[in-house]
Coordinates of all heavy atoms in Angstrom, one line a residue:
K156 N -42.5 10.1 -129.1 CA -41.5 9.2 -129.7 C -40.2 9.4 -129.1 O -40.0 10.3 -128.3 CB -41.4 9.5 -131.3 CG -42.7 9.4 -132.0 CD -42.6 9.4 -133.4 CE -44.0 9.3 -134.2 NZ -44.5 7.9 -134.0
A157 N -39.2 8.4 -129.3 CA -37.9 8.4 -128.6 C -36.8 8.6 -129.5 O -35.7 8.9 -129.0 CB -37.9 7.2 -127.7
D158 N -36.9 8.3 -130.8 CA -35.8 8.4 -131.7 C -36.2 8.5 -133.3 O -37.2 8.3 -133.5 CB -34.9 7.0 -131.6 CG -33.4 7.3 -131.8 OD1 -33.1 8.3 -132.5 OD2 -32.6 6.4 -131.6
C159 N -35.1 8.7 -134.0 CA -35.5 9.1 -135.4 C -36.0 7.8 -136.1 O -36.8 7.9 -137.1 CB -34.1 9.4 -136.1 SG -33.3 11.0 -135.6
Y160 N -35.5 6.5 -135.9 CA -36.0 5.4 -136.4 C -37.6 5.2 -136.2 O -38.2 4.4 -136.9 CB -35.2 4.2 -136.0 CG -35.5 3.6 -134.6 CD1 -36.6 2.8 -134.3 CD2 -34.6 4.1 -133.6 CE1 -36.7 2.6 -132.9 CE2 -34.8 3.7 -132.3 CZ -35.8 3.0 -132.0 OH -35.9 2.5 -130.6
E161 N -38.1 5.9 -135.3 CA -39.6 5.8 -135.0 C -40.4 6.8 -135.8 O -41.7 6.6 -135.7 CB -39.8 6.0 -133.4 CG -39.2 5.0 -132.5 CD -39.6 5.3 -131.1 OE1 -40.4 6.1 -130.9 OE2 -38.8 4.8 -130.3
L162 N -39.8 7.5 -136.6 CA -40.6 8.4 -137.4 C -41.4 7.8 -138.5 O -41.0 6.7 -139.0 CB -39.8 9.5 -138.1 CG -39.0 10.5 -137.1 CD1 -38.0 11.3 -137.8 CD2 -39.9 11.3 -136.2
D163 N -42.5 8.5 -139.0 CA -43.3 8.0 -140.0 C -42.6 7.8 -141.2 O -42.1 8.8 -141.8 CB -44.5 9.0 -140.2 CG -45.6 8.3 -141.2 OD1 -45.3 7.2 -141.7 OD2 -46.5 9.0 -141.5
K164 N -42.4 6.5 -141.8 CA -41.6 6.3 -143.0 C -42.3 6.9 -144.3 O -41.7 7.0 -145.3 CB -41.5 4.8 -143.1 CG -40.7 4.1 -142.0 CD -40.6 2.7 -142.2 CE -39.8 1.9 -141.0 NZ -39.8 0.6 -141.3
L165 N -43.7 7.1 -144.2 CA -44.3 8.0 -145.4 C -44.1 9.3 -145.5 O -44.0 9.9 -146.4 CB -45.8 7.5 -145.3 CG -46.1 6.1 -145.3 CD1 -47.5 5.8 -145.2 CD2 -45.6 5.3 -146.6
Q166 N -43.9 10.0 -144.2 CA -43.7 11.5 -144.2 C -42.4 11.9 -144.8 O -42.3 12.7 -145.7 CB -43.9 12.0 -142.8 CG -43.8 13.4 -142.7 CD -44.0 13.9 -141.3 OE1 -44.2 13.1 -140.4 NE2 -43.9 15.2 -141.1
R167 N -41.2 11.3 -144.3 CA -40.0 11.3 -144.9 C -39.5 12.8 -145.0 O -39.3 13.4 -146.0 CB -39.8 10.8 -146.2 CG -40.1 9.2 -146.1 CD -39.8 8.5 -147.4 NE -38.4 8.5 -147.6 CZ -37.5 7.6 -147.0 NH1 -38.0 6.6 -146.4 NH2 -36.4 7.5 -147.4
V168 N -39.5 13.5 -143.9 CA -39.1 14.9 -143.7 C -37.8 15.0 -143.0 O -37.7 14.7 -141.7 CB -40.1 15.8 -143.2 CG1 -39.7 17.4 -143.0 CG2 -41.4 15.7 -144.0
D169 N -36.8 15.4 -143.5 CA -35.4 15.6 -142.8 C -35.7 16.8 -141.8 O -36.2 17.9 -142.3 CB -34.2 15.9 -143.8 CG -33.8 14.6 -144.5 OD1 -34.7 13.5 -144.3 OD2 -33.0 14.5 -145.3

Side-chain angles (χ1 to χ4, degrees):
K156 299 184 184 300
D158 204 348
C159 294
Y160 67 85
E161 297 181 13
L162 296 179
D163 186 357
K164 298 178 184 178
L165 300 178
Q166 183 179 358
R167 304 187 69 80
V168 177
D169 293 2

